[in-house]
Amino acid sequence: RRPAENPRDLVLSGARTLAAAVEEFEREVIEEALRREEGNQTQTALRLGTTRRVLRYRMAKLGIRSP
């Protein structure tokens, strides 16, 4: 991502919706947390301060497969 493509700037310029920026952020955070926890969803949920059930719901919503 180029510096000019900062998600905040894209939203504020109208080039991207807030919903799309939030979805991208959420996907990136969940994927990285899953990598750090070697795919362990229970530990990933704990790391993110949520429940495994909510994590699995968000993963399904965002199309993230368990590693």
Side-chain angles (χ1 to χ4, degrees):
R1 173 184 304 155
R2 293 178 291 163
E5 293 180 346
N6 176 323
R8 183 187 71 186
D9 293 338
L10 289 171
V11 171
L12 293 174
S13 72
R16 183 160 216 198
T17 66
L18 176 60
V22 168
E23 187 174 290
E24 179 183 357
F25 173 78
E26 188 173 24
R27 181 179 290 107
E28 289 174 359
V29 168
I30 291 172
E31 288 174 343
E32 179 61 26
L34 280 165
R35 272 191 288 281
R36 290 182 184 197
E37 296 299 339
E38 300 176 352
N40 184 309
Q41 293 177 8
T42 300
Q43 291 303 312
T44 298
L46 288 171
R47 175 182 288 273
L48 297 176
T50 191
T51 64
R52 184 173 179 271
R53 181 175 171 265
V54 170
L55 174 65
R56 290 184 52 81
Y57 167 80
R58 292 180 189 269
M59 287 172 63
K61 181 181 118 190
L62 297 167
I64 300 171
R65 290 191 196 172
S66 188

